[in-house]
């Protein structure tokens, strides 16, 4: 396994809007480029996008929130498994 394959991907989650009903909209970026719309559940949505782009399900991803100190490391498969779980993007204290 090369160093590039062993290095985790860093995906940053941005809250980009609130609608009139108070629902939040999210966007995921990787290396400063837009990865995908990550609404309604940003971590599984971003992981599914990576999987559709051909990344290995065992690839480690570091999810970071753009506005807080939230950071979570999961494989793509683990992140997709959170699809029915609401993942709070609040910073750890």
């Amino acid at each position: 396994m090369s160093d590039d394959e062993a290095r985790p991907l860093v995906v940053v989650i941005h809250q980009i809007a609130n609608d009139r009903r108070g629902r939040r909209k999210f966007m995921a970026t990787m290396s400063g480029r837009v990865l995908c719309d990550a609404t309604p559940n940003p971590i599984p949505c971003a992981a599914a996008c990576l999987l559709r782009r051909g990344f290995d399900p065992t690839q480690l991803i570091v999810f970071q929130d753009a506005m807080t100190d939230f950071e979570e490391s999961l494989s793509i498969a683990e992140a997709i498994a959170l699809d029915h779980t609401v993942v709070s993007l609040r910073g750890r204290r």
Side-chain angles (χ1 to χ4, degrees), residues 45-89:
C45 287
C49 181
L50 290 169
L51 192 62
R52 284 191 303 270
R53 290 181 179 209
F55 285 87
D56 186 321
T58 62
Q59 173 71 47
L60 187 63
I61 309 169
V62 176
F63 292 96
Q64 297 175 337
D65 184 88
M67 299 299 291
T68 68
D69 62 349
F70 173 86
E71 186 171 289
E72 188 71 43
S73 296
L74 300 166
S75 71
I76 291 174
E78 290 170 330
I80 290 173
L82 295 174
D83 190 35
H84 298 292
T85 305
V86 176
V87 179
S88 174
L89 294 178

Side-chain angles (χ1 to χ4, degrees), residues 4-83:
D4 288 338
E5 291 172 357
R7 187 175 305 134
L9 302 172
V10 177
V11 173
V12 180
I13 306 295
H14 307 264
Q15 181 180 340
I16 56 173
N18 284 325
D19 68 11
R20 291 182 182 159
R21 295 182 185 170
R23 293 178 297 203
R24 299 181 296 170
K25 293 186 68 67
F26 298 97
M27 170 182 68
T29 62
M30 189 169 72
S31 301
R33 295 180 180 220
V34 174
L35 180 63
C36 62
D37 173 7
T39 304
N41 201 352
I43 290 178
C45 287
C49 181
L50 290 169
L51 192 62
R52 284 191 303 270
R53 290 181 179 209
F55 285 87
D56 186 321
T58 62
Q59 173 71 47
L60 187 63
I61 309 169
V62 176
F63 292 96
Q64 297 175 337
D65 184 88
M67 299 299 291
T68 68
D69 62 349
F70 173 86
E71 186 171 289
E72 188 71 43
S73 296
L74 300 166
S75 71
I76 291 174
E78 290 170 330
I80 290 173
L82 295 174
D83 190 35

